Amino acid sequence: MTQGTLHGRAALVTGAGVGIGRAVAEALARAGALVGLHYHASAGGARETLAGIEVRGGRGVLLPADLADADQARRLVDDFVQHAGRLDVLVNNAGSPLRRARIEDCPLELWQQVLAVNLTSAFLVTQRAVPHLRASGNGSVINNLTLSVQTGGANGAGPYAVAKGGLQVMTRTLARELAPAVRTNAIMPGVIETRHHEVFSTPERMQQYRQETPLGRNGLAEEVAAVVLFLAGDAARFVNGALIDINGGRFLR
């Protein structure tokens, strides 16, 4: 998407301090959007993201919130709309497996936390955002899923896969409920070279992923951001309820 194609629009990105969220926020800002940079535990990363946006002439605002807390999730949307005066694009990117656990061994507390961080948070933010997205007349919601939805969450990623599977269904539901004023789509990244996999995958497993991928490598956050940028803009104005795989051919439908 060319520079300035989102000029005059406002985009809120959850989990914008690191990885895919950071790349998405930077791409939206380069396209001319005023970007809300949500963060929770990654304050330093969010500040670096904003600094990078501003040095290139873009606009952004930092928005701290624990999205597992309903009041904070709702206030996040309110604060951004108060600052920007509108909301056109919502990217539900925030999420984490928290830690690996097989379903049979998963403590109830961890199960509830994973659902809260990866599914309920997106529900809360989206619900608060809907009136503003409708008012935009050209609203777009983009949900970030995970390849674990297709693989079943191997190696202890089951609770995470279940939560993201719920987000996939919510994408389809919103695509029906919010159209025509708002389009809702989802992306399903494969293995992307970000801090997420530095935490949750060993170097040996990352190499295995590269070997299992037809393109012979893992993905980059900027490549995911390019797809989000497409879905956010007018080029995707007839795309609604879609799920776009970004995995180098590692999983084929």
Side-chain angles (χ1 to χ4, degrees), residues 1 6 9-14 24 28 33 80 86-93 125-126 129-144 171 174-175 178-187 227-242 244:
M1 182 171 291
L6 294 180
R9 300 184 197 179
L12 175 58
V13 182
T14 65
V24 167
L28 293 171
F80 180 59
R86 60 186 297 146
L87 176 57
D88 305 277
V89 178
L90 171 62
V91 183
N92 286 312
N93 168 75
V125 173
T126 303
V130 164
H132 305 291
L133 293 165
R134 278 206 175 107
S136 162
N138 194 24
S140 176
V141 177
I142 300 142
N143 295 323
N144 187 5
T171 300
L174 293 172
L178 303 186
V182 181
R183 297 177 296 105
T184 307
N185 296 287
I187 57 170
V227 178
V228 173
L229 193 55
F230 162 70
L231 291 172
D234 292 340
R237 59 188 176 272
F238 199 60
V239 181
N240 184 44
I244 299 181

Tab-separated table of all heavy atoms in Angstrom, residues 1 6 9-14 24 28 33 80 86-93 125-126 129-144 171 174-175 178-187 227-242 244:
chain	number	residue	atom	x	y	z
A	1	MET	N	0.841	-1.182	0.000
A	1	MET	CA	0.000	0.000	0.000
A	1	MET	C	0.878	1.234	0.000
A	1	MET	O	1.886	1.298	0.684
A	1	MET	CB	-0.923	-0.014	1.217
A	1	MET	CG	-1.884	1.144	1.286
A	1	MET	SD	-3.108	0.922	2.608
A	1	MET	CE	-4.075	-0.421	1.971
A	6	LEU	N	-4.010	5.771	4.090
A	6	LEU	CA	-4.872	5.814	5.267
A	6	LEU	C	-4.894	7.204	5.887
A	6	LEU	O	-5.253	7.366	7.056
A	6	LEU	CB	-4.422	4.776	6.301
A	6	LEU	CG	-4.553	3.306	5.899
A	6	LEU	CD1	-4.073	2.397	7.022
A	6	LEU	CD2	-5.997	2.959	5.533
A	9	ARG	N	-7.352	8.736	8.781
A	9	ARG	CA	-7.981	7.658	9.540
A	9	ARG	C	-7.207	7.397	10.837
A	9	ARG	O	-6.036	7.740	10.962
A	9	ARG	CB	-8.080	6.385	8.701
A	9	ARG	CG	-8.890	6.580	7.438
A	9	ARG	CD	-9.074	5.295	6.669
A	9	ARG	NE	-9.492	5.571	5.302
A	9	ARG	CZ	-9.721	4.644	4.393
A	9	ARG	NH1	-9.571	3.369	4.698
A	9	ARG	NH2	-10.091	4.972	3.167
A	10	ALA	N	-7.898	6.758	11.769
A	10	ALA	CA	-7.305	6.448	13.068
A	10	ALA	C	-7.363	4.945	13.294
A	10	ALA	O	-8.405	4.315	13.084
A	10	ALA	CB	-8.044	7.177	14.183
A	11	ALA	N	-6.237	4.377	13.711
A	11	ALA	CA	-6.126	2.928	13.889
A	11	ALA	C	-5.620	2.616	15.284
A	11	ALA	O	-4.644	3.208	15.754
A	11	ALA	CB	-5.185	2.341	12.839
A	12	LEU	N	-6.263	1.668	15.937
A	12	LEU	CA	-5.857	1.211	17.262
A	12	LEU	C	-5.283	-0.193	17.144
A	12	LEU	O	-5.940	-1.096	16.624
A	12	LEU	CB	-7.062	1.213	18.202
A	12	LEU	CG	-6.854	0.657	19.619
A	12	LEU	CD1	-5.758	1.411	20.363
A	12	LEU	CD2	-8.168	0.687	20.398
A	13	VAL	N	-4.054	-0.368	17.630
A	13	VAL	CA	-3.361	-1.664	17.565
A	13	VAL	C	-3.075	-2.122	18.989
A	13	VAL	O	-2.360	-1.447	19.731
A	13	VAL	CB	-2.043	-1.557	16.778
A	13	VAL	CG1	-1.367	-2.925	16.690
A	13	VAL	CG2	-2.286	-0.984	15.392
A	14	THR	N	-3.624	-3.259	19.377
A	14	THR	CA	-3.313	-3.782	20.702
A	14	THR	C	-2.019	-4.587	20.634
A	14	THR	O	-1.702	-5.212	19.629
A	14	THR	CB	-4.450	-4.671	21.243
A	14	THR	OG1	-4.585	-5.843	20.435
A	14	THR	CG2	-5.770	-3.905	21.250
A	24	VAL	N	3.004	-3.756	12.588
A	24	VAL	CA	1.698	-3.306	12.107
A	24	VAL	C	1.506	-1.819	12.393
A	24	VAL	O	1.057	-1.058	11.520
A	24	VAL	CB	0.572	-4.134	12.759
A	24	VAL	CG1	-0.787	-3.487	12.527
A	24	VAL	CG2	0.580	-5.549	12.209
A	28	LEU	N	0.927	1.055	9.489
A	28	LEU	CA	-0.270	1.889	9.441
A	28	LEU	C	0.100	3.362	9.523
A	28	LEU	O	-0.499	4.204	8.829
A	28	LEU	CB	-1.206	1.510	10.590
A	28	LEU	CG	-1.839	0.116	10.518
A	28	LEU	CD1	-2.554	-0.211	11.827
A	28	LEU	CD2	-2.802	0.006	9.350
A	33	ALA	N	-2.078	6.881	8.840
A	33	ALA	CA	-3.030	6.795	9.942
A	33	ALA	C	-2.431	7.354	11.234
A	33	ALA	O	-1.218	7.273	11.462
A	33	ALA	CB	-3.457	5.351	10.164
A	80	PHE	N	-8.485	6.493	23.314
A	80	PHE	CA	-7.983	6.704	21.962
A	80	PHE	C	-8.950	7.553	21.142
A	80	PHE	O	-8.529	8.458	20.420
A	80	PHE	CB	-7.730	5.381	21.255
A	80	PHE	CG	-7.203	5.551	19.859
A	80	PHE	CD1	-6.008	6.229	19.632
A	80	PHE	CD2	-7.897	5.065	18.764
A	80	PHE	CE1	-5.516	6.417	18.346
A	80	PHE	CE2	-7.418	5.239	17.477
A	80	PHE	CZ	-6.229	5.915	17.262
A	86	ARG	N	-11.938	9.813	16.365
A	86	ARG	CA	-12.582	8.810	15.522
A	86	ARG	C	-11.853	7.481	15.683
A	86	ARG	O	-10.774	7.422	16.289
A	86	ARG	CB	-12.554	9.239	14.057
A	86	ARG	CG	-11.131	9.430	13.503
A	86	ARG	CD	-11.158	10.002	12.097
A	86	ARG	NE	-11.810	9.089	11.156
A	86	ARG	CZ	-12.543	9.493	10.125
A	86	ARG	NH1	-12.728	10.770	9.906
A	86	ARG	NH2	-13.092	8.606	9.303
A	87	LEU	N	-12.430	6.421	15.122
A	87	LEU	CA	-11.762	5.126	15.081
A	87	LEU	C	-12.205	4.417	13.806
A	87	LEU	O	-13.389	4.162	13.606
A	87	LEU	CB	-12.123	4.275	16.309
A	87	LEU	CG	-11.560	2.850	16.354
A	87	LEU	CD1	-10.040	2.865	16.249
A	87	LEU	CD2	-11.997	2.140	17.637
A	88	ASP	N	-11.251	4.128	12.949
A	88	ASP	CA	-11.532	3.503	11.659
A	88	ASP	C	-11.037	2.071	11.553
A	88	ASP	O	-11.623	1.259	10.843
A	88	ASP	CB	-10.882	4.327	10.539
A	88	ASP	CG	-11.310	5.781	10.571
A	88	ASP	OD1	-12.391	6.085	10.041
A	88	ASP	OD2	-10.563	6.600	11.136
A	89	VAL	N	-9.926	1.776	12.239
A	89	VAL	CA	-9.300	0.456	12.126
A	89	VAL	C	-8.959	-0.051	13.517
A	89	VAL	O	-8.360	0.662	14.322
A	89	VAL	CB	-8.013	0.524	11.276
A	89	VAL	CG1	-7.347	-0.852	11.197
A	89	VAL	CG2	-8.292	1.071	9.885
A	90	LEU	N	-9.352	-1.290	13.793
A	90	LEU	CA	-8.988	-1.954	15.043
A	90	LEU	C	-8.233	-3.231	14.713
A	90	LEU	O	-8.749	-4.086	13.992
A	90	LEU	CB	-10.234	-2.289	15.867
A	90	LEU	CG	-10.003	-3.180	17.090
A	90	LEU	CD1	-9.078	-2.505	18.100
A	90	LEU	CD2	-11.336	-3.555	17.744
A	91	VAL	N	-7.023	-3.342	15.248
A	91	VAL	CA	-6.227	-4.560	15.069
A	91	VAL	C	-6.093	-5.242	16.429
A	91	VAL	O	-5.379	-4.757	17.311
A	91	VAL	CB	-4.837	-4.250	14.485
A	91	VAL	CG1	-4.066	-5.548	14.253
A	91	VAL	CG2	-4.950	-3.455	13.193
A	92	ASN	N	-6.810	-6.348	16.597
A	92	ASN	CA	-6.723	-7.136	17.826
A	92	ASN	C	-5.523	-8.071	17.710
A	92	ASN	O	-5.634	-9.209	17.248
A	92	ASN	CB	-8.012	-7.932	18.032
A	92	ASN	CG	-9.174	-7.073	18.482
A	92	ASN	OD1	-9.037	-6.274	19.411
A	92	ASN	ND2	-10.316	-7.209	17.836
A	93	ASN	N	-4.388	-7.556	18.133
A	93	ASN	CA	-3.125	-8.278	17.996
A	93	ASN	C	-2.632	-8.855	19.319
A	93	ASN	O	-1.949	-9.877	19.329
A	93	ASN	CB	-2.064	-7.343	17.420
A	93	ASN	CG	-0.676	-7.920	17.519
A	93	ASN	OD1	-0.296	-8.824	16.779
A	93	ASN	ND2	0.115	-7.414	18.474
A	125	VAL	N	-12.578	-5.104	23.822
A	125	VAL	CA	-12.122	-3.961	23.033
A	125	VAL	C	-13.018	-3.762	21.810
A	125	VAL	O	-13.435	-2.640	21.493
A	125	VAL	CB	-10.652	-4.144	22.609
A	125	VAL	CG1	-10.219	-3.053	21.635
A	125	VAL	CG2	-9.744	-4.143	23.840
A	126	THR	N	-13.331	-4.859	21.130
A	126	THR	CA	-14.161	-4.751	19.926
A	126	THR	C	-15.555	-4.246	20.272
A	126	THR	O	-16.100	-3.371	19.568
A	126	THR	CB	-14.265	-6.115	19.223
A	126	THR	OG1	-12.948	-6.589	18.921
A	126	THR	CG2	-15.062	-6.004	17.931
A	129	ALA	N	-15.489	-0.691	20.694
A	129	ALA	CA	-15.103	0.032	19.482
A	129	ALA	C	-16.195	0.083	18.425
A	129	ALA	O	-16.183	0.959	17.554
A	129	ALA	CB	-13.854	-0.620	18.877
A	130	VAL	N	-17.149	-0.851	18.477
A	130	VAL	CA	-18.134	-0.989	17.391
A	130	VAL	C	-18.866	0.305	17.049
A	130	VAL	O	-18.962	0.661	15.861
A	130	VAL	CB	-19.133	-2.127	17.708
A	130	VAL	CG1	-20.369	-2.042	16.817
A	130	VAL	CG2	-18.455	-3.475	17.513
A	131	PRO	N	-19.397	1.053	18.012
A	131	PRO	CA	-20.104	2.284	17.625
A	131	PRO	C	-19.220	3.260	16.856
A	131	PRO	O	-19.693	3.918	15.911
A	131	PRO	CB	-20.550	2.872	18.971
A	131	PRO	CG	-20.576	1.716	19.909
A	131	PRO	CD	-19.458	0.828	19.468
A	132	HIS	N	-17.962	3.349	17.221
A	132	HIS	CA	-17.040	4.272	16.552
A	132	HIS	C	-16.676	3.759	15.157
A	132	HIS	O	-16.560	4.543	14.215
A	132	HIS	CB	-15.788	4.460	17.401
A	132	HIS	CG	-16.075	4.897	18.797
A	132	HIS	ND1	-16.579	6.154	19.100
A	132	HIS	CD2	-15.959	4.244	19.984
A	132	HIS	CE1	-16.743	6.260	20.407
A	132	HIS	NE2	-16.368	5.115	20.960
A	133	LEU	N	-16.483	2.453	15.042
A	133	LEU	CA	-16.177	1.866	13.740
A	133	LEU	C	-17.361	2.035	12.791
A	133	LEU	O	-17.185	2.319	11.602
A	133	LEU	CB	-15.831	0.390	13.894
A	133	LEU	CG	-14.521	0.084	14.646
A	133	LEU	CD1	-14.479	-1.383	15.056
A	133	LEU	CD2	-13.317	0.435	13.778
A	134	ARG	N	-18.572	1.873	13.302
A	134	ARG	CA	-19.759	2.090	12.476
A	134	ARG	C	-19.845	3.541	12.032
A	134	ARG	O	-20.169	3.837	10.878
A	134	ARG	CB	-21.016	1.705	13.257
A	134	ARG	CG	-21.325	0.214	13.265
A	134	ARG	CD	-22.808	-0.009	13.474
A	134	ARG	NE	-23.148	-1.420	13.362
A	134	ARG	CZ	-23.478	-2.201	14.391
A	134	ARG	NH1	-23.504	-1.708	15.613
A	134	ARG	NH2	-23.780	-3.478	14.188
A	135	ALA	N	-19.556	4.440	12.955
A	135	ALA	CA	-19.637	5.865	12.632
A	135	ALA	C	-18.627	6.247	11.562
A	135	ALA	O	-18.853	7.184	10.788
A	135	ALA	CB	-19.410	6.707	13.893
A	136	SER	N	-17.527	5.519	11.487
A	136	SER	CA	-16.519	5.777	10.464
A	136	SER	C	-17.104	5.600	9.068
A	136	SER	O	-16.726	6.316	8.133
A	136	SER	CB	-15.334	4.824	10.643
A	136	SER	OG	-14.549	4.740	9.480
A	137	GLY	N	-18.014	4.628	8.926
A	137	GLY	CA	-18.568	4.316	7.616
A	137	GLY	C	-17.654	3.462	6.762
A	137	GLY	O	-18.033	3.014	5.683
A	138	ASN	N	-16.437	3.265	7.261
A	138	ASN	CA	-15.449	2.476	6.521
A	138	ASN	C	-14.584	1.704	7.509
A	138	ASN	O	-13.377	1.612	7.363
A	138	ASN	CB	-14.591	3.407	5.651
A	138	ASN	CG	-13.780	2.654	4.618
A	138	ASN	OD1	-14.125	1.550	4.226
A	138	ASN	ND2	-12.675	3.254	4.187
A	139	GLY	N	-15.246	1.153	8.526
A	139	GLY	CA	-14.528	0.504	9.608
A	139	GLY	C	-13.935	-0.836	9.211
A	139	GLY	O	-14.447	-1.531	8.335
A	140	SER	N	-12.846	-1.195	9.897
A	140	SER	CA	-12.178	-2.464	9.631
A	140	SER	C	-11.650	-3.040	10.932
A	140	SER	O	-10.950	-2.355	11.685
A	140	SER	CB	-11.027	-2.264	8.648
A	140	SER	OG	-10.312	-3.473	8.452
A	141	VAL	N	-12.003	-4.294	11.190
A	141	VAL	CA	-11.462	-5.039	12.330
A	141	VAL	C	-10.594	-6.158	11.776
A	141	VAL	O	-11.007	-6.890	10.869
A	141	VAL	CB	-12.584	-5.639	13.199
A	141	VAL	CG1	-11.988	-6.470	14.342
A	141	VAL	CG2	-13.492	-4.550	13.740
A	142	ILE	N	-9.386	-6.286	12.313
A	142	ILE	CA	-8.467	-7.338	11.884
A	142	ILE	C	-7.990	-8.086	13.123
A	142	ILE	O	-7.401	-7.482	14.029
A	142	ILE	CB	-7.272	-6.764	11.108
A	142	ILE	CG1	-7.759	-6.015	9.865
A	142	ILE	CG2	-6.307	-7.873	10.709
A	142	ILE	CD1	-6.994	-4.778	9.557
A	143	ASN	N	-8.262	-9.380	13.172
A	143	ASN	CA	-7.896	-10.207	14.316
A	143	ASN	C	-6.685	-11.070	13.981
A	143	ASN	O	-6.635	-11.699	12.925
A	143	ASN	CB	-9.071	-11.105	14.712
A	143	ASN	CG	-10.256	-10.306	15.222
A	143	ASN	OD1	-10.090	-9.296	15.903
A	143	ASN	ND2	-11.467	-10.746	14.901
A	144	ASN	N	-5.738	-11.106	14.900
A	144	ASN	CA	-4.522	-11.893	14.716
A	144	ASN	C	-4.690	-13.248	15.391
A	144	ASN	O	-4.824	-13.336	16.611
A	144	ASN	CB	-3.323	-11.149	15.304
A	144	ASN	CG	-2.007	-11.839	14.990
A	144	ASN	OD1	-1.970	-12.830	14.255
A	144	ASN	ND2	-0.924	-11.321	15.538
A	171	THR	N	-14.521	-13.711	14.520
A	171	THR	CA	-14.277	-12.989	13.272
A	171	THR	C	-15.431	-13.211	12.304
A	171	THR	O	-15.962	-12.262	11.701
A	171	THR	CB	-12.961	-13.451	12.625
A	171	THR	OG1	-11.875	-13.195	13.522
A	171	THR	CG2	-12.716	-12.737	11.298
A	174	LEU	N	-18.670	-11.487	13.596
A	174	LEU	CA	-18.632	-10.030	13.398
A	174	LEU	C	-18.753	-9.660	11.927
A	174	LEU	O	-19.335	-8.629	11.590
A	174	LEU	CB	-17.340	-9.456	13.980
A	174	LEU	CG	-17.204	-9.523	15.501
A	174	LEU	CD1	-15.805	-9.091	15.920
A	174	LEU	CD2	-18.250	-8.647	16.185
A	175	ALA	N	-18.212	-10.495	11.052
A	175	ALA	CA	-18.310	-10.219	9.613
A	175	ALA	C	-19.762	-10.153	9.173
A	175	ALA	O	-20.121	-9.389	8.266
A	175	ALA	CB	-17.558	-11.282	8.813
A	178	LEU	N	-21.620	-6.928	11.696
A	178	LEU	CA	-21.213	-5.525	11.563
A	178	LEU	C	-21.280	-4.987	10.147
A	178	LEU	O	-21.265	-3.776	9.946
A	178	LEU	CB	-19.791	-5.337	12.099
A	178	LEU	CG	-19.552	-5.752	13.550
A	178	LEU	CD1	-18.143	-5.379	13.980
A	178	LEU	CD2	-20.570	-5.122	14.492
A	179	ALA	N	-21.317	-5.861	9.155
A	179	ALA	CA	-21.403	-5.397	7.771
A	179	ALA	C	-22.771	-4.743	7.544
A	179	ALA	O	-23.752	-5.111	8.189
A	179	ALA	CB	-21.213	-6.575	6.815
A	180	PRO	N	-22.869	-3.761	6.645
A	180	PRO	CA	-21.839	-3.336	5.691
A	180	PRO	C	-20.932	-2.206	6.181
A	180	PRO	O	-19.977	-1.859	5.503
A	180	PRO	CB	-22.669	-2.850	4.502
A	180	PRO	CG	-23.899	-2.285	5.145
A	180	PRO	CD	-24.192	-3.173	6.323
A	181	ALA	N	-21.223	-1.637	7.347
A	181	ALA	CA	-20.445	-0.471	7.780
A	181	ALA	C	-19.031	-0.853	8.206
A	181	ALA	O	-18.107	-0.046	8.104
A	181	ALA	CB	-21.155	0.239	8.934
A	182	VAL	N	-18.867	-2.087	8.686
A	182	VAL	CA	-17.568	-2.530	9.211
A	182	VAL	C	-17.233	-3.894	8.607
A	182	VAL	O	-18.071	-4.797	8.597
A	182	VAL	CB	-17.597	-2.648	10.747
A	182	VAL	CG1	-16.234	-3.081	11.279
A	182	VAL	CG2	-18.034	-1.332	11.381
A	183	ARG	N	-16.007	-4.023	8.100
A	183	ARG	CA	-15.507	-5.307	7.622
A	183	ARG	C	-14.666	-5.951	8.730
A	183	ARG	O	-13.933	-5.256	9.423
A	183	ARG	CB	-14.639	-5.131	6.382
A	183	ARG	CG	-15.359	-4.570	5.172
A	183	ARG	CD	-14.421	-4.358	3.999
A	183	ARG	NE	-13.400	-3.350	4.269
A	183	ARG	CZ	-12.132	-3.609	4.533
A	183	ARG	NH1	-11.690	-4.863	4.550
A	183	ARG	NH2	-11.268	-2.636	4.768
A	184	THR	N	-14.789	-7.268	8.871
A	184	THR	CA	-14.004	-7.987	9.867
A	184	THR	C	-13.291	-9.153	9.204
A	184	THR	O	-13.918	-9.981	8.541
A	184	THR	CB	-14.891	-8.522	11.001
A	184	THR	OG1	-15.678	-7.461	11.538
A	184	THR	CG2	-14.031	-9.116	12.111
A	185	ASN	N	-11.989	-9.206	9.382
A	185	ASN	CA	-11.167	-10.259	8.789
A	185	ASN	C	-10.124	-10.726	9.801
A	185	ASN	O	-9.957	-10.127	10.864
A	185	ASN	CB	-10.478	-9.744	7.521
A	185	ASN	CG	-11.477	-9.388	6.437
A	185	ASN	OD1	-12.080	-10.253	5.823
A	185	ASN	ND2	-11.668	-8.084	6.197
A	186	ALA	N	-9.447	-11.801	9.464
A	186	ALA	CA	-8.417	-12.338	10.347
A	186	ALA	C	-7.190	-12.742	9.552
A	186	ALA	O	-7.275	-13.080	8.366
A	186	ALA	CB	-8.954	-13.545	11.117
A	187	ILE	N	-6.063	-12.688	10.221
A	187	ILE	CA	-4.813	-13.207	9.674
A	187	ILE	C	-4.379	-14.389	10.530
A	187	ILE	O	-4.666	-14.444	11.729
A	187	ILE	CB	-3.707	-12.142	9.639
A	187	ILE	CG1	-3.462	-11.577	11.044
A	187	ILE	CG2	-4.055	-11.036	8.652
A	187	ILE	CD1	-2.234	-10.710	11.169
A	227	VAL	N	0.078	-7.499	5.077
A	227	VAL	CA	-1.255	-8.070	4.876
A	227	VAL	C	-2.289	-7.309	5.704
A	227	VAL	O	-3.399	-7.037	5.236
A	227	VAL	CB	-1.258	-9.567	5.236
A	227	VAL	CG1	-2.657	-10.158	5.075
A	227	VAL	CG2	-0.262	-10.326	4.373
A	228	VAL	N	-1.943	-6.950	6.927
A	228	VAL	CA	-2.849	-6.157	7.754
A	228	VAL	C	-3.146	-4.822	7.078
A	228	VAL	O	-4.291	-4.354	7.059
A	228	VAL	CB	-2.248	-5.926	9.153
A	228	VAL	CG1	-3.102	-4.952	9.964
A	228	VAL	CG2	-2.114	-7.249	9.896
A	229	LEU	N	-2.128	-4.222	6.504
A	229	LEU	CA	-2.294	-2.943	5.828
A	229	LEU	C	-3.259	-3.069	4.656
A	229	LEU	O	-4.118	-2.207	4.432
A	229	LEU	CB	-0.928	-2.450	5.348
A	229	LEU	CG	-0.818	-0.994	4.890
A	229	LEU	CD1	-1.304	-0.042	5.968
A	229	LEU	CD2	0.635	-0.693	4.526
A	230	PHE	N	-3.146	-4.153	3.913
A	230	PHE	CA	-4.081	-4.409	2.821
A	230	PHE	C	-5.508	-4.515	3.344
A	230	PHE	O	-6.433	-3.883	2.824
A	230	PHE	CB	-3.691	-5.700	2.100
A	230	PHE	CG	-4.787	-6.290	1.260
A	230	PHE	CD1	-5.210	-5.673	0.087
A	230	PHE	CD2	-5.417	-7.466	1.653
A	230	PHE	CE1	-6.237	-6.213	-0.681
A	230	PHE	CE2	-6.437	-8.022	0.897
A	230	PHE	CZ	-6.861	-7.384	-0.274
A	231	LEU	N	-5.717	-5.305	4.414
A	231	LEU	CA	-7.055	-5.500	4.958
A	231	LEU	C	-7.633	-4.220	5.545
A	231	LEU	O	-8.854	-4.026	5.542
A	231	LEU	CB	-7.033	-6.599	6.025
A	231	LEU	CG	-6.772	-8.016	5.515
A	231	LEU	CD1	-6.571	-8.972	6.689
A	231	LEU	CD2	-7.914	-8.497	4.623
A	232	ALA	N	-6.782	-3.342	6.023
A	232	ALA	CA	-7.253	-2.096	6.633
A	232	ALA	C	-7.722	-1.089	5.597
A	232	ALA	O	-8.543	-0.211	5.910
A	232	ALA	CB	-6.142	-1.474	7.482
A	233	GLY	N	-7.229	-1.189	4.385
A	233	GLY	CA	-7.434	-0.141	3.401
A	233	GLY	C	-8.514	-0.420	2.381
A	233	GLY	O	-9.174	-1.464	2.373
A	234	ASP	N	-8.675	0.517	1.470
A	234	ASP	CA	-9.742	0.457	0.473
A	234	ASP	C	-9.535	-0.645	-0.559
A	234	ASP	O	-10.501	-1.072	-1.206
A	234	ASP	CB	-9.857	1.801	-0.236
A	234	ASP	CG	-10.357	2.903	0.692
A	234	ASP	OD1	-10.952	2.561	1.737
A	234	ASP	OD2	-10.146	4.092	0.390
A	235	ALA	N	-8.320	-1.115	-0.732
A	235	ALA	CA	-8.088	-2.200	-1.692
A	235	ALA	C	-8.824	-3.471	-1.281
A	235	ALA	O	-9.102	-4.329	-2.112
A	235	ALA	CB	-6.595	-2.474	-1.825
A	236	ALA	N	-9.149	-3.578	0.015
A	236	ALA	CA	-9.841	-4.769	0.528
A	236	ALA	C	-11.315	-4.472	0.822
A	236	ALA	O	-11.925	-5.154	1.641
A	236	ALA	CB	-9.148	-5.267	1.786
A	237	ARG	N	-11.885	-3.489	0.169
A	237	ARG	CA	-13.247	-3.065	0.519
A	237	ARG	C	-14.309	-4.121	0.249
A	237	ARG	O	-15.428	-4.003	0.747
A	237	ARG	CB	-13.602	-1.758	-0.193
A	237	ARG	CG	-13.548	-1.804	-1.714
A	237	ARG	CD	-13.735	-0.382	-2.291
A	237	ARG	NE	-13.599	-0.375	-3.741
A	237	ARG	CZ	-12.443	-0.233	-4.380
A	237	ARG	NH1	-11.318	-0.077	-3.693
A	237	ARG	NH2	-12.393	-0.232	-5.699
A	238	PHE	N	-13.998	-5.182	-0.535
A	238	PHE	CA	-14.949	-6.267	-0.732
A	238	PHE	C	-14.475	-7.549	-0.050
A	238	PHE	O	-14.956	-8.641	-0.333
A	238	PHE	CB	-15.193	-6.532	-2.230
A	238	PHE	CG	-16.460	-7.298	-2.508
A	238	PHE	CD1	-17.692	-6.797	-2.131
A	238	PHE	CD2	-16.417	-8.537	-3.131
A	238	PHE	CE1	-18.862	-7.510	-2.371
A	238	PHE	CE2	-17.579	-9.263	-3.385
A	238	PHE	CZ	-18.801	-8.741	-3.001
A	239	VAL	N	-13.549	-7.404	0.887
A	239	VAL	CA	-13.035	-8.547	1.650
A	239	VAL	C	-13.639	-8.487	3.047
A	239	VAL	O	-13.382	-7.548	3.808
A	239	VAL	CB	-11.501	-8.529	1.724
A	239	VAL	CG1	-10.995	-9.743	2.498
A	239	VAL	CG2	-10.893	-8.488	0.330
A	240	ASN	N	-14.441	-9.475	3.384
A	240	ASN	CA	-15.123	-9.498	4.673
A	240	ASN	C	-15.302	-10.951	5.108
A	240	ASN	O	-15.745	-11.792	4.330
A	240	ASN	CB	-16.497	-8.819	4.561
A	240	ASN	CG	-17.208	-8.734	5.900
A	240	ASN	OD1	-16.605	-8.389	6.918
A	240	ASN	ND2	-18.494	-9.047	5.920
A	241	GLY	N	-14.913	-11.252	6.346
A	241	GLY	CA	-15.002	-12.612	6.850
A	241	GLY	C	-13.894	-13.521	6.369
A	241	GLY	O	-13.986	-14.742	6.514
A	242	ALA	N	-12.842	-12.947	5.827
A	242	ALA	CA	-11.743	-13.743	5.270
A	242	ALA	C	-10.716	-14.103	6.342
A	242	ALA	O	-10.559	-13.418	7.345
A	242	ALA	CB	-11.058	-12.980	4.143
A	244	ILE	N	-6.664	-15.001	6.189
A	244	ILE	CA	-5.507	-15.038	5.301
A	244	ILE	C	-4.336	-15.713	6.004
A	244	ILE	O	-3.887	-15.273	7.067
A	244	ILE	CB	-5.114	-13.615	4.851
A	244	ILE	CG1	-6.276	-12.977	4.083
A	244	ILE	CG2	-3.854	-13.664	3.988
A	244	ILE	CD1	-5.982	-11.583	3.567
